[in-house]
Amino acid sequence: MTTPIVQDRDRARESLRTMWRIRRFEEAVEDLYGRGLMHGTMHLSIGQEAVPTAACQALNRDDYITSTHRGHGHCIAKGADLERMMAELLAKETGYCRGRGGSMHIADTETGNLGANGIVAGGVPIAAGAALSAKLRGTGQVALAFHGDGAMGEGAWHEGVVLAAMWQLPVVFLCENNLYGMSMSSERAFNLPQLSDRAKGYGIPGVTVDGNDLQAVYDVTAEAVERARNGGGPTFIEAKTYRWRGHSKSDKNLYRTREEIDEWRLKDPIVRFELETVEAGTLSEADLEAVRDEVRTELRGAVQRANAAPDARPDDLLASVYAEVGA
Amino acid sequence: MTTPIVQDRDRARESLRTMWRIRRFEEAVEDLYGRGLMHGTMHLSIGQEAVPTAACQALNRDDYITSTHRGHGHCIAKGADLERMMAELLAKETGYCRGRGGSMHIADTETGNLGANGIVAGGVPIAAGAALSAKLRGTGQVALAFHGDGAMGEGAWHEGVVLAAMWQLPVVFLCENNLYGMSMSSERAFNLPQLSDRAKGYGIPGVTVDGNDLQAVYDVTAEAVERARNGGGPTFIEAKTYRWRGHSKSDKNLYRTREEIDEWRLKDPIVRFELETVEAGTLSEADLEAVRDEVRTELRGAVQRANAAPDARPDDLLASVYAEVGA
Amino acid sequence: MDELVTMTYSEAVREALAIAMERDERVFIMGEDVGTYGGAFGVTGDLIHRLGEDRVRDTTISELGIVGLGVGAAMTGMRPIVEIQFSDFTAQAMDQIANQAAKIHFMLGGAVNVPLVIRAPGGSGTGAAAQHSQSLEAWFAHIPGLKVVMPATADDAKGLLLSAIDDPNPVIVIEHKLLYKTSGEVRPGDTRVPIGVAEVRRTGGDLTIVATGVEVSRSLEAAEILAAEGIEATVVDPRTLKPLDTETIIAEVIKTGRVLLVQEAVKTLGFMSEVAAVLSETEAFVHLRAPIKRLAGLDIPIPYAPQLERAAVPQVDDIVAAARTLVQEW
Amino acid sequence: MDELVTMTYSEAVREALAIAMERDERVFIMGEDVGTYGGAFGVTGDLIHRLGEDRVRDTTISELGIVGLGVGAAMTGMRPIVEIQFSDFTAQAMDQIANQAAKIHFMLGGAVNVPLVIRAPGGSGTGAAAQHSQSLEAWFAHIPGLKVVMPATADDAKGLLLSAIDDPNPVIVIEHKLLYKTSGEVRPGDTRVPIGVAEVRRTGGDLTIVATGVEVSRSLEAAEILAAEGIEATVVDPRTLKPLDTETIIAEVIKTGRVLLVQEAVKTLGFMSEVAAVLSETEAFVHLRAPIKRLAGLDIPIPYAPQLERAAVPQVDDIVAAARTLVQEW
Ligand SMILES: Cc1ncc(C[n+]2csc(CCOP(=O)(O)OP(=O)(O)O)c2C)c(N)n1
Ligand SMILES: Cc1ncc(C[n+]2csc(CCOP(=O)(O)OP(=O)(O)O)c2C)c(N)n1
Ligand SMILES: [Mg+2]
Ligand SMILES: [Mg+2]
């Protein structure tokens, strides 16, 4: 067993930095949105930061992920650039998708992120396909599909898992069970004590983990990734967590209670990990402060530069639909 | 516990009659087909007769079934008229679908058969919908979805089961696992010792049974139907059986061995049940002969009358697409 | 006749749902977040509190399953209304829509009806990008067995939905996200708008504009601007795409001899391709004094950036310009 | 140039698959029963024995998943070819086709390509009834981001498929069940047919027939019958529906001034609606001396009974009759 992250100064700091980058990025988005400076819709993952942060640490840079409508965290954790992300959300030509995709379609092929997806469960078969590709090309790469609990009601989820299981593809299905698919509680929807009970039906290993426990998420993901890389096939992971904000901007939170939300705010994965590092004597309060400052500065710069970038250009829309033949 | 079917003279005879009606019907179809007197394609269930025969005995006449491309057995077991079925296959105006549907679309609403389906797993959500309807109307009816093993790779299967489980609908999912979905073996496809292991993933009971054992299929179906009728929700049943013939007319049987087919022919569900009834002293050889004769005569008449019926009429095709408003 | 009531398109849909459910026990609604949440666009609103969980049913995220259950329920005596949260997700449900619901009545020789209503909001303009902004009505209108309506006003939203619920066939109702919050005058009570009847929303002698969905109000706005320039347009709203009221369209086109077809959907094989084809093969053809002109969405996925999104579909100015050119050049 | 080889359409498809796989390691096939079984229509045949299980992959019955895996593999350096057993089952896979494969390149700002080929046999004539006999090409041609080809001859089946495999975009190849067993002359080796180029298969001065898929050979047959009566027809086969070679079609229509559009698909919003619309809004319009005439499948699900099935789609006689009327009346 390697040193726990909480006792490893560099990794602990890196983990905190990633979690704060996600949190601050989304707070900035929320703010810009609230002030009418951002367009479209948004799905915030505030409260869920430990899952992508830990999971992506278990992946190599050239491993693949597919992400969801609630994808900022996945994208950041896999290594994307905050400025280009922010530029995308601000509909700028310098954004990851040249302002054509927005929050729901950010991808960063450099870091193996095959894209957020506006379609619930849409990324699940795509991740399995990336895993098939890696297997056929013999590269040893692994694919990880982030998806929500709600996604498990979709045929796309089922078919992606069926094919991955049959071919024992190097893929990890990581369900962020934040207890709701929009307003539908996963408890009510799926009739199961834990969603990982589903895995047995596909003949693949399944495990449930506290999604707000960074180390625990890392451990199960690392094990699953290793299994995948060694030809052991897919794994299903359920990471239980919670989104503090509404599903999207239109959510009035009628389907859950104030108390429930408050209870989960007390389980803040960032605060929890900060406390753990301090208790372990790995980082000092000053170290924590330094990380936070660093991220705040980084983010301020990213927003400023993104804002200053040129707006997305409409001139070549028709020419952008198809890749050029021979390309 | 009620008397076993094998000891109940009437039910034993009725069971045999149904199985023979299915077998002889399909043999006639095969023959007509081979002689170029029948059009289209055909999927024969010869070898699988015990499953629908037993399952439909566990249903009331007004309970619903949905069926599949391999649906003659389901249709006959639920009580359809052989002449109208044969007329349909012979593309006659007197057929169940006026010659517009053919083998893959025969339905008989009188006996609760909502239809064969050319789409693998297409009937699964439809059955769940019929169960929802029964529940909302408070009629106490149950729906049973016949489907193949191959159907379990489809998103439609998954979504139908998810919704049925959530709402605890009065529906039974009956998988006829004849070991192959076309050429794909269910063992290879699903990575599971038994397909009923899937049920756990939906929080519903699952059971595997020898599909060539009429009594066993009856028992598990009756239990599932009772549970459904009493508000206990869906059940998944896997009945293991085998199709003697190829998937359809184009099958060269390259994916399975002669030995395997021969082995299963020895497990003929009809012969097996005949022997059991004789051994139990319920029916004599003469009784068996009488049933066979009866069915042969019935079938001969059905084919003759169907053949003599008028061909499907093309005159009102355009007017047949929509039901009349106010109807 | 009772007095008209001003309400939003979304309220009009909700009123139709309530009226149908109150009058007919067989009617119920199911879909994602239609219950407590009140619908992603707030259309079902408080219906769950008025009619109960049994009749306003929250589902899992399973579009194919939802429509499939709708088909099964419709075949067995119920009148289900299914909400697909964004019309883009009908792609998930396409087998049950096109291969099952649409075909069952015919394929089974008329033995069964499938009185299923599918409501799905389409259209762009909310910054939701390519997977949440399509106008897919042409897919459905291409499939025999489906009826397709596309209400452009609050009264039509109510009246067409009431007719759809009573129809013994599967009917797809394409609502529009941008219209939900617009207001209009609505006839009170159980007032239907017949399926299959186009509405002439304005008359003028210089050209005939045929427009659907959100492009109807844009065309009417454009017509006022054109009128100020001395160009008078007739504006026809087919309302039902299938079965199409070709008679009204042809008659109105013959009157002016010039036709501008306006749709939000991408141009290629959008609904207006069919209208153009009908006009070019019927008696309208010989009365046309100008080539037919289609004004449609660009053949691109809807982009996220607001200025790009606007550029992707016909706006009022585009309609004015196209109409002006048509009248001036021919 | 090497000598032409006579082979069936189905053999031509198989040859293209073999050539592409032999030349490019990235190419592989997956689909239901494409391996040992050799494909539901025998198209893949013995390829599994020649190229191995890794590259000729039997899948579960999961159309949405199969296309989705194809998308993921295409995005990451492979060149997957997916077989959908009957084109009707693209309905199951529509989300991955229309919402994912078609849009990813645009939606991601050009960062990724999706070089995916989807082969799907369409069409009626085999008695397989409503859920196994549709001609759904219009659905795909309506979605920006997809290319759609529809080979009508063995050489095109081979050449268009080779081009499709090399294309960096998703391409849907609509093959035809009835054509699989028909023979034609095929150029040997790695010979492509360019995507986006129509073929004029016959020339004649009296009318222009534009036909797709199985209707191409029916139109050519009809043209011979008409020629015997003194009516000379040009027959244009677009071959690619998207992007459409409007230039060739318009030019050929202008030459004769009369146009008959023939498709197997149902009439409403079938591919020929688009062709009619294009003709009616371009320079072709003023050269038309007769209204455009569409000859298409009836707007019905395909019926099972053989005589009904035949009545549902244009046959040679129907084409002859329509052409004759067009020429005689105008
Ligand atoms: C196919 C499809 N159906 C419905 C939606 C609308 N929608 C977007 S997110 C969402 C809830 C998803 O829940 P879950 O998978 O648990 O993810 P979470 O939002 O909780 O992160 C829904 C219903 C969609 N985008 N795609
Ligand atoms: C959606 C769909 N995909 C594929 C097919 C083609 N097909 C028809 S039957 C069949 C095999 C079905 O296997 P299973 O469900 O096990 O039923 P069985 O044929 O063994 O009775 C296939 C692939 C189809 N009809 N529908
Ligand atoms: Mg969730
Ligand atoms: Mg099977």
Side-chain angles (χ1 to χ4, degrees):
Chain A
M1 196 83 190
T2 48
T3 326
I5 300 170
V6 76
Q7 287 167 29
D8 178 327
R9 200 174 150 76
D10 285 349
R11 292 181 65 209
R13 195 152 43 185
E14 199 44 45
S15 301
L16 273 174
R17 185 181 295 119
T18 302
M19 289 200 285
W20 277 119
R21 291 175 93 218
I22 299 172
R23 170 96 32 117
R24 293 289 183 240
F25 181 88
E26 294 205 321
E27 285 170 352
V29 168
E30 197 172 25
D31 176 60
L32 286 162
Y33 216 95
R35 291 192 288 138
L37 301 172
M38 203 175 266
H39 166 75
T41 187
M42 55 160 186
H43 303 93
L44 303 178
S45 66
I46 292 176
Q48 305 186 184
E49 295 87 348
V51 184
T53 301
C56 290
Q57 282 186 43
L59 295 172
N60 295 336
R61 187 178 164 89
D62 71 345
D63 286 334
Y64 298 111
I65 64 164
T66 60
S67 166
T68 68
H69 59 286
R70 201 176 302 287
H72 305 142
H74 314 140
C75 194
I76 293 172
K78 197 67 175 60
D81 177 57
L82 298 190
E83 181 186 331
R84 286 191 68 191
M85 284 180 69
M86 194 55 86
E88 184 57 32
L89 270 64
L90 288 166
K92 300 294 187 172
E93 191 65 30
T94 56
Y96 270 110
C97 310
R98 304 182 57 206
R100 279 119 194 247
S103 165
M104 276 196 288
H105 304 296
I106 291 184
D108 178 19
T109 47
E110 298 281 297
T111 59
N113 179 355
L114 299 177
N117 208 308
I119 298 294
V120 169
V124 172
I126 295 176
L132 171 60
S133 166
K135 190 171 178 174
L136 287 170
R137 286 180 290 117
T139 59
Q141 289 161 291
V142 167
L144 183 147
F146 286 105
H147 65 77
D149 47 295
M152 294 175 69
E154 286 284 0
W157 182 88
H158 174 73
E159 298 190 15
V161 178
V162 163
L163 285 161
M166 171 168 72
W167 288 334
Q168 291 287 296
L169 300 177
V171 58
V172 180
F173 300 105
L174 201 169
C175 172
E176 293 177 271
N177 181 359
N178 59 8
L179 312 196
Y180 296 93
M182 206 153 157
S183 69
M184 170 59 74
S185 91
S186 54
E187 208 182 322
R188 184 169 157 223
F190 300 119
N191 215 23
L192 288 174
Q194 41 183 25
L195 297 181
S196 56
D197 293 347
R198 270 276 185 86
K200 297 189 193 85
Y202 301 90
I204 63 172
V207 55
T208 291
V209 68
D210 177 351
N212 285 5
D213 179 342
L214 187 120
Q215 183 69 45
V217 175
Y218 175 78
D219 289 343
V220 297
T221 313
E223 192 187 327
V225 168
E226 199 190 324
R227 180 180 305 123
R229 222 184 289 288
N230 296 334
T235 304
F236 175 85
I237 298 169
E238 175 194 20
K240 295 190 106 161
T241 181
Y242 200 77
R243 65 166 155 73
W244 296 4
R245 299 297 192 266
H247 167 73
S248 70
K249 57 170 175 165
S250 67
D251 190 344
K252 298 190 217 80
N253 279 316
L254 299 174
Y255 54 88
R256 55 181 190 174
T257 61
R258 185 77 257 159
E259 291 69 45
E260 184 183 278
I261 301 174
D262 288 345
E263 200 181 292
W264 277 92
R265 290 183 76 120
L266 292 177
K267 302 186 196 167
D268 184 339
I270 306 188
V271 172
R272 173 172 169 175
F273 192 72
E274 283 191 338
L275 290 177
E276 284 171 7
T277 53
V278 173
E279 265 169 38
T282 313
L283 297 179
S284 65
E285 277 295 345
D287 291 329
L288 301 184
E289 202 52 57
V291 170
R292 287 187 216 126
D293 283 350
E294 224 176 282
V295 171
R296 204 174 290 116
T297 310
E298 183 193 0
L299 204 88
R300 193 175 310 123
V303 173
Q304 272 169 3
R305 286 189 304 276
N307 251 322
D311 284 344
R313 280 195 305 267
D315 36 291
D316 65 344
L317 281 174
L318 276 168
S320 307
V321 178
Y322 295 93
E324 230 172 291
V325 177
Chain B
M1 198 82 191
T2 47
T3 326
I5 301 170
V6 77
Q7 287 169 26
D8 177 328
R9 202 175 148 75
D10 285 349
R11 291 182 64 208
R13 196 154 39 187
E14 198 44 45
S15 301
L16 273 175
R17 185 181 294 119
T18 302
M19 290 198 285
W20 277 120
R21 291 175 94 219
I22 299 172
R23 172 92 36 113
R24 293 290 184 236
F25 181 88
E26 293 205 322
E27 285 170 352
V29 167
E30 196 172 25
D31 176 60
L32 287 162
Y33 215 94
R35 292 192 286 139
L37 300 173
M38 203 175 265
H39 166 76
T41 188
M42 55 160 187
H43 303 93
L44 303 178
S45 65
I46 293 176
Q48 307 186 180
E49 295 88 348
V51 184
T53 301
C56 291
Q57 282 186 43
L59 296 171
N60 295 336
R61 188 180 163 89
D62 71 344
D63 286 334
Y64 298 111
I65 64 164
T66 61
S67 166
T68 69
H69 57 288
R70 202 175 303 288
H72 305 142
H74 314 141
C75 194
I76 294 172
K78 196 69 177 56
D81 177 57
L82 298 189
E83 180 187 332
R84 287 191 67 191
M85 283 180 70
M86 194 55 86
E88 185 57 33
L89 270 63
L90 289 167
K92 301 294 187 171
E93 190 66 29
T94 56
Y96 270 110
C97 312
R98 304 182 56 204
R100 279 117 195 250
S103 164
M104 277 196 288
H105 304 296
I106 291 183
D108 179 18
T109 45
E110 297 282 297
T111 59
N113 180 355
L114 299 178
N117 207 310
I119 298 294
V120 169
V124 172
I126 295 176
L132 170 60
S133 165
K135 190 171 176 171
L136 287 170
R137 287 180 290 116
T139 60
Q141 289 161 292
V142 167
L144 183 148
F146 286 105
H147 64 79
D149 48 294
M152 294 176 68
E154 286 284 0
W157 182 88
H158 174 73
E159 297 190 14
V161 179
V162 163
L163 286 162
M166 171 168 72
W167 288 334
Q168 292 288 295
L169 299 178
V171 57
V172 179
F173 301 105
L174 200 170
C175 173
E176 291 176 273
N177 182 0
N178 58 8
L179 311 195
Y180 297 93
M182 205 154 159
S183 69
M184 171 58 74
S185 90
S186 54
E187 208 182 321
R188 184 169 157 223
F190 300 120
N191 214 24
L192 288 175
Q194 40 182 26
L195 297 181
S196 57
D197 293 346
R198 270 277 184 84
K200 298 189 191 84
Y202 302 90
I204 63 171
V207 57
T208 291
V209 70
D210 177 352
N212 286 5
D213 179 342
L214 188 122
Q215 182 69 45
V217 175
Y218 175 79
D219 289 342
V220 298
T221 312
E223 191 187 327
V225 168
E226 197 191 326
R227 181 181 304 122
R229 222 184 288 287
N230 296 334
T235 303
F236 175 85
I237 298 170
E238 175 193 20
K240 294 189 109 162
T241 181
Y242 200 77
R243 64 165 155 74
W244 295 4
R245 300 296 193 265
H247 167 73
S248 69
K249 55 169 177 165
S250 69
D251 192 343
K252 299 191 218 78
N253 279 317
L254 299 174
Y255 53 89
R256 56 181 190 174
T257 61
R258 187 75 258 157
E259 291 70 46
E260 184 183 277
I261 301 173
D262 287 344
E263 200 180 294
W264 277 91
R265 290 182 75 118
L266 293 175
K267 303 186 197 165
D268 185 338
I270 306 188
V271 172
R272 172 172 171 176
F273 192 73
E274 283 191 338
L275 290 177
E276 284 171 6
T277 53
V278 174
E279 268 169 36
T282 313
L283 299 179
S284 66
E285 278 295 343
D287 292 329
L288 301 184
E289 203 50 58
V291 170
R292 288 186 216 126
D293 283 348
E294 222 176 282
V295 171
R296 205 175 289 118
T297 310
E298 182 192 2
L299 204 86
R300 193 174 311 122
V303 173
Q304 273 168 2
R305 286 189 303 275
N307 251 322
D311 285 344
R313 281 194 305 267
D315 36 290
D316 64 344
L317 281 175
L318 278 169
S320 308
V321 178
Y322 295 93
E324 229 173 292
V325 177
Chain C
M1 194 173 157
D2 290 331
E3 246 173 285
L4 297 174
V5 186
T6 300
M7 61 175 79
T8 64
Y9 185 98
S10 150
E11 285 163 351
V13 173
R14 182 155 62 251
E15 183 164 298
L17 295 171
I19 288 171
M21 285 202 277
E22 274 155 15
R23 118 168 95 72
D24 187 344
E25 284 246 299
R26 299 169 305 171
V27 179
F28 70 100
I29 306 174
M30 59 182 164
E32 295 155 16
D33 311 293
V34 298
T36 310
Y37 197 98
F41 293 96
V43 174
T44 43
D46 61 349
L47 286 180
I48 190 168
H49 302 300
R50 289 155 64 186
L51 291 140
E53 292 200 336
D54 257 9
R55 303 186 66 196
V56 182
R57 306 181 72 90
D58 274 324
T59 65
T60 52
I61 311 174
S62 317
E63 291 78 11
L64 180 59
I66 299 167
V67 176
L69 264 73
V71 172
M75 290 173 77
T76 54
M78 298 298 288
R79 297 255 166 186
I81 302 167
V82 154
E83 175 175 308
I84 298 293
Q85 210 162 65
F86 286 74
S87 74
D88 311 70
F89 315 152
T90 56
Q92 267 81 350
M94 212 54 181
D95 176 65
Q96 287 288 340
I97 297 172
N99 290 336
Q100 312 291 346
K103 296 183 171 44
I104 283 173
H105 177 76
F106 179 93
M107 195 162 67
L108 269 51
V112 192
N113 296 343
V114 185
L116 170 69
V117 174
I118 300 176
R119 293 179 39 242
S124 64
T126 67
Q131 293 174 334
H132 286 74
S133 307
Q134 290 168 93
S135 300
L136 295 171
E137 56 274 9
W139 274 0
F140 309 113
H142 183 51
I143 301 299
L146 299 176
K147 295 188 177 182
V148 185
V149 302
M150 215 169 150
T153 68
D155 191 64
D156 281 356
K158 176 180 169 185
L160 285 168
L161 179 53
L162 283 167
S163 293
I165 295 169
D166 254 19
D167 202 285
N169 299 287
V171 183
I172 318 264
V173 185
I174 303 285
E175 300 169 358
H176 199 289
K177 292 171 207 115
L178 293 186
L179 294 178
Y180 279 138
K181 291 184 180 160
T182 62
S183 287
E185 296 198 319
V186 174
R187 292 166 300 153
D190 191 351
T191 44
R192 317 282 166 94
V193 170
I195 290 179
V197 180
E199 176 82 356
V200 181
R201 299 213 175 271
R202 186 186 196 286
T203 47
D206 295 316
L207 85 159
T208 302
I209 299 176
V210 183
T212 49
V214 75
E215 300 296 351
V216 173
S217 49
R218 288 182 190 156
S219 294
L220 288 169
E221 213 180 301
E224 292 309 312
I225 298 172
L226 290 162
E229 299 178 11
I231 297 174
E232 288 296 340
T234 287
V235 177
V236 182
D237 172 3
R239 304 200 289 194
T240 300
L241 310 197
K242 184 86 160 280
L244 182 62
D245 180 357
T246 51
E247 213 174 302
T248 301
I249 295 173
I250 291 170
E252 293 302 324
V253 169
I254 288 176
K255 285 184 200 160
T256 67
R258 295 189 190 96
V259 63
L260 176 63
L261 306 173
V262 190
Q263 74 188 15
E264 182 180 9
V266 301
K267 187 170 192 174
T268 301
L269 277 163
F271 171 68
M272 292 303 169
S273 306
E274 180 62 25
V275 176
V278 166
L279 292 174
S280 69
E281 66 179 4
T282 52
E283 63 269 34
F285 177 79
V286 292
H287 293 90
L288 283 174
R289 63 170 100 165
I292 292 170
K293 172 77 189 157
R294 283 182 295 169
L295 185 63
L298 297 179
D299 277 310
I300 63 172
I302 296 293
Y304 165 68
Q307 66 283 14
L308 275 59
E309 188 181 23
R310 265 195 308 275
V313 304
Q315 305 296 335
V316 174
D317 289 353
D318 304 316
I319 303 171
V320 170
R324 198 187 284 137
T325 311
L326 191 62
V327 173
Q328 285 168 355
E329 294 188 359
W330 293 87
Chain D
M1 197 173 156
D2 289 331
E3 245 171 282
L4 298 175
V5 186
T6 300
M7 61 175 80
T8 64
Y9 184 99
S10 151
E11 286 162 351
V13 173
R14 181 154 64 251
E15 183 164 299
L17 295 172
I19 289 171
M21 286 202 278
E22 274 155 13
R23 117 169 96 72
D24 187 344
E25 286 245 298
R26 299 170 303 172
V27 179
F28 70 100
I29 306 175
M30 57 183 164
E32 294 155 16
D33 312 292
V34 297
T36 311
Y37 197 99
F41 294 95
V43 174
T44 44
D46 61 349
L47 287 180
I48 190 167
H49 303 300
R50 291 154 64 185
L51 290 140
E53 293 199 336
D54 257 10
R55 303 186 63 197
V56 182
R57 305 182 72 89
D58 273 324
T59 64
T60 52
I61 311 174
S62 317
E63 291 79 12
L64 180 60
I66 300 167
V67 176
L69 264 73
V71 172
M75 289 174 77
T76 55
M78 297 299 287
R79 296 256 166 185
I81 302 167
V82 155
E83 177 175 307
I84 298 292
Q85 209 161 69
F86 286 75
S87 73
D88 311 70
F89 315 152
T90 58
Q92 267 80 350
M94 212 54 183
D95 177 65
Q96 287 288 339
I97 297 172
N99 290 337
Q100 312 290 347
K103 295 181 171 47
I104 283 173
H105 176 76
F106 179 94
M107 196 162 66
L108 270 50
V112 191
N113 295 344
V114 185
L116 170 69
V117 174
I118 301 176
R119 293 180 39 243
S124 64
T126 67
Q131 293 174 333
H132 286 72
S133 306
Q134 291 167 92
S135 300
L136 295 172
E137 56 275 7
W139 273 1
F140 309 115
H142 183 52
I143 301 298
L146 301 175
K147 295 187 178 182
V148 185
V149 303
M150 216 169 150
T153 69
D155 192 64
D156 280 355
K158 176 180 169 184
L160 285 169
L161 180 52
L162 283 167
S163 294
I165 295 169
D166 254 19
D167 202 286
N169 299 287
V171 183
I172 318 263
V173 185
I174 303 285
E175 299 168 358
H176 198 288
K177 292 171 207 117
L178 293 186
L179 295 177
Y180 279 139
K181 290 183 181 162
T182 63
S183 288
E185 299 198 314
V186 174
R187 291 165 301 153
D190 191 351
T191 44
R192 318 283 166 94
V193 170
I195 290 178
V197 181
E199 176 82 353
V200 181
R201 300 213 175 270
R202 186 186 196 287
T203 48
D206 296 316
L207 85 158
T208 303
I209 299 177
V210 183
T212 50
V214 76
E215 300 296 351
V216 173
S217 49
R218 288 184 189 155
S219 295
L220 288 168
E221 214 180 302
E224 293 309 312
I225 298 172
L226 289 162
E229 300 179 9
I231 297 174
E232 289 296 340
T234 287
V235 176
V236 182
D237 172 3
R239 304 199 289 193
T240 300
L241 310 197
K242 184 86 163 277
L244 182 61
D245 181 357
T246 50
E247 215 173 303
T248 301
I249 295 173
I250 291 169
E252 294 302 323
V253 169
I254 287 176
K255 285 184 199 159
T256 66
R258 297 189 191 93
V259 62
L260 176 63
L261 307 173
V262 190
Q263 74 189 14
E264 182 180 9
V266 300
K267 186 171 193 175
T268 300
L269 276 164
F271 171 67
M272 292 304 170
S273 306
E274 180 63 24
V275 176
V278 166
L279 292 173
S280 69
E281 66 181 3
T282 54
E283 63 271 34
F285 176 79
V286 292
H287 293 89
L288 283 173
R289 62 170 100 164
I292 292 169
K293 172 76 190 157
R294 284 182 295 171
L295 186 63
L298 297 180
D299 277 309
I300 63 171
I302 295 292
Y304 165 69
Q307 66 282 15
L308 275 58
E309 188 180 23
R310 267 193 308 276
V313 305
Q315 306 295 336
V316 175
D317 289 353
D318 304 315
I319 302 171
V320 170
R324 199 187 285 136
T325 311
L326 192 61
V327 173
Q328 285 169 355
E329 293 191 358
W330 294 87

